[in-house]
Amino acid sequence: MIADTVVADYPVFGVTRHQLYVHPDIPYTSHNSNAVIHVLADGDEAMDHLFKVAEEVMLGDFLEGSDPGLAVASTGQITSSLIAYGQDAKCTILTQDRARTLAKNLHIRLKGLGGTEDGVIGAMAGLGLAFTKCDGRFLQKGDIRTILTSCTVEKLLQAGIDEVCSFDGRQFHEGTVFFRPEKPPRPCPINGKTVIFVKEDGDRLIEDKRD
């Protein structure tokens, strides 16, 4: 919803989902993941506008019992410390204090939008993980959300996918890839490329989920 609103003012490259640490001591409403919107914009004015729009949309869709957090940053604010923080968030329990201190030192806009405000932890982690272009998977990019159930490799490449390959290294340039029924593909950012992983099932190519 935020991406669909933001695109009226700035180009949106895509939206990625990043899985964080699942642990009994970490409360979460779904799967303890975050979503990051990749916007082609820069400068304080753009960052302020994006923060305002995102906050309005999130508060308008607030669910009781959730603890949402919002962070907005430019690529110049993403440092090694933030990338390390994002990687830590995938395997250990982090605190609001660490997230807020990091945001303060890097001059990153960060805000808890309800509940315990623990969402600030995942919001900051998302920035670091998304910046690597090698974590999570795309929720939205190009025309992939219009593709449901199955699609030929050729059409996937036309829709914004860079590669279709298997985990054992084989690349596919033809054939049909089958996804979940009535669901779009789940490509992954891998070293800056948008990749769909598949496995062979007879003469069919089945989407292979990653992260």
Side-chain angles (χ1 to χ4, degrees), residues 29 61-68 114-115:
T29 52
D61 194 48
F62 177 76
L63 297 175
E64 288 296 332
S66 63
D67 309 304

Side-chain angles (χ1 to χ4, degrees), residues 5 7 11 20 22 32 35 56 58 91-92 125 129-130 133 140 144 150 156-157 159-160 164 167 205 207:
T5 304
V7 77
L20 304 179
V22 176
N32 199 30
E56 290 175 350
M58 291 174 70
C91 60
T92 190
L129 292 169
K133 299 181 180 179
Q140 180 174 316
I144 64 169
S150 66
L156 286 171
L157 297 177
V164 176
F167 284 130
L205 299 176
E207 180 184 39

Side-chain angles (χ1 to χ4, degrees), residues 30-185:
S30 183
H31 302 286
N32 199 30
S33 62
N34 56 39
V36 180
I37 306 170
H38 303 248
V39 183
L40 303 180
D42 202 1
D44 286 339
E45 184 176 342
M47 298 299 106
D48 288 341
H49 180 69
L50 290 170
F51 195 95
K52 179 181 178 182
V53 170
E55 181 177 9
E56 290 175 350
V57 174
M58 291 174 70
L59 290 177
D61 194 48
F62 177 76
L63 297 175
E64 288 296 332
S66 63
D67 309 304
L70 171 64
V72 175
S74 63
T75 55
Q77 293 173 291
I78 311 298
T79 66
S80 299
S81 297
L82 182 51
I83 294 171
Y85 171 89
Q87 293 172 342
D88 288 348
K90 296 179 74 71
C91 60
T92 190
I93 299 174
L94 301 180
T95 65
Q96 282 195 44
D97 284 344
R98 182 175 171 187
R100 294 183 186 279
T101 299
L102 191 57
K104 179 180 178 181
N105 290 338
L106 298 179
H107 307 290
I108 289 176
R109 296 160 178 80
L110 176 67
K111 187 176 183 179
L113 299 180
T116 65
E117 298 191 356
D118 274 351
V120 298
I121 299 170
M124 286 293 288
L127 295 176
L129 292 169
F131 180 80
T132 67
K133 299 181 180 179
C134 205
D135 183 83
R137 62 178 184 262
F138 280 100
L139 298 174
Q140 180 174 316
K141 184 179 185 292
D143 297 324
I144 64 169
R145 293 188 70 85
T146 65
I147 300 171
L148 303 176
T149 306
S150 66
C151 185
T152 64
V153 172
E154 182 181 17
K155 288 184 178 179
L156 286 171
L157 297 177
Q158 293 172 353
I161 303 301
D162 296 313
E163 291 182 10
V164 176
C165 61
S166 63
F167 284 130
D168 61 10
R170 290 172 294 157
Q171 292 199 4
F172 298 88
H173 303 284
E174 58 184 21
T176 299
V177 181
F178 291 83
F179 320 116
R180 297 165 297 165
E182 299 303 316
K183 297 291 185 180

